[in-house]
Amino acid sequence: SSDLDGPLPYGSKCPAEDPPRLFSREAMRPGAWQNRCCLFTNETNPGECILTVSVPIEDLNGKKVLITGGAGFIGSHLLEALLKADQKVIGLDNFLTGKKSSLDETIPHEKIKNFTFIEGDIRDDKVCCEVTKGIDYVLHQAAIGSVPQSILDPHTVNEVNAVGFLNILRASQKN
C-alpha cells in the first residue's frame, strides 16, 4: 500500500501481499487511495502494475456488479477476476469493438452460474435503465478507444464515449 494522494503511476510496483481491489464510490472519496493496489500486472514484468483499483474484492460478496464493455480487453479480464472471486457479474457489450471470443476465453466454466451477459448498447437509454436495476457497482469500460476511428467517424465515437457514458451515469443514479 502507498500513501500517495492519487492513483499509482503506470508501471509502479505493487506489493504482492495486498489483495486485488476494485473501484467503488468509496474509492472516490479523498484519502481512499491509501488502500489501493494492483489488479493486473505486466505479463513480461509481473512486478509492474498496469491497472490500479481500490476496495477489497471481498467487500463485494453478495453484491451485483455490472461491467459495461464486458467483451473488451479490460472488461473481459475484470469479468474473469470477479468470477474467479465467486462474485455475481453482469456483462454488457454491443460487440462494436469487443469480441465474443474474449468472453469464451476469460470466463471460467465452473463460475458461469454467476455470470449473465446482455448484448446491448450504452447509447440506448432503455438498455442502460434496465441493466442497472439491482446493480450495486458499475465498472464502466465501454468505449471506442481508437484514435483513427475517432477521425473517421467522430459522431459515433462521441455518441459511445460521451453520450453512452452519461446514459450509464444517469441510469445508475436512478436505480
Side-chain angles (χ1 to χ4, degrees):
S1 294
S2 173
D3 57 3
L4 298 174
D5 289 330
L8 293 172
Y10 177 82
S12 60
K13 303 299 180 192
C14 179
E17 66 274 3
D18 281 355
R21 299 171 184 276
L22 298 169
F23 282 117
S24 75
R25 289 183 191 134
E26 179 67 14
M28 298 304 146
R29 71 172 174 73
W33 285 102
Q34 293 172 342
N35 295 323
R36 69 190 181 279
C37 191
C38 224
L39 185 58
F40 296 109
T41 58
N42 184 334
E43 287 182 16
T44 57
N45 185 357
E48 283 187 37
C49 187
I50 293 174
L51 178 63
T52 60
V53 288
S54 186
V55 176
I57 203 165
E58 56 272 10
D59 286 0
L60 296 177
N61 290 339
K63 307 288 185 187
K64 283 177 109 177
V65 179
L66 168 66
I67 300 177
T68 65
F73 179 77
I74 294 173
S76 63
H77 284 83
L78 286 170
L79 283 170
E80 178 183 28
L82 288 169
L83 289 170
K84 282 182 178 177
D86 213 27
Q87 304 301 318
K88 292 184 186 334
V89 183
I90 296 173
L92 173 69
D93 208 297
N94 63 0
F95 299 112
L96 189 63
T97 59
K99 297 177 176 72
K100 290 181 183 180
S101 61
S102 295
L103 296 173
D104 295 334
E105 294 167 8
T106 58
I107 296 173
H109 294 292
E110 68 278 4
K111 303 292 185 175
I112 199 78
K113 68 183 182 330
N114 289 343
F115 177 63
T116 303
F117 182 78
I118 298 169
E119 187 170 349
D121 197 315
I122 61 170
R123 294 175 287 180
D124 185 334
D125 281 329
K126 290 178 184 172
V127 168
C128 293
C129 284
E130 277 302 308
V131 78
T132 55
K133 285 182 181 170
I135 295 295
D136 297 296
Y137 293 90
V138 176
L139 304 179
H140 178 62
Q141 305 301 315
I144 299 175
S146 166
V147 172
Q149 187 65 27
S150 70
I151 294 167
L152 293 171
D153 189 1
H155 178 75
T156 300
V157 172
N158 183 67
E159 284 290 309
V160 172
N161 293 355
V163 176
F165 176 61
L166 288 173
N167 287 345
I168 284 292
L169 285 177
R170 283 192 293 246
S172 297
Q173 186 179 32
K174 285 180 192 174
N175 291 318

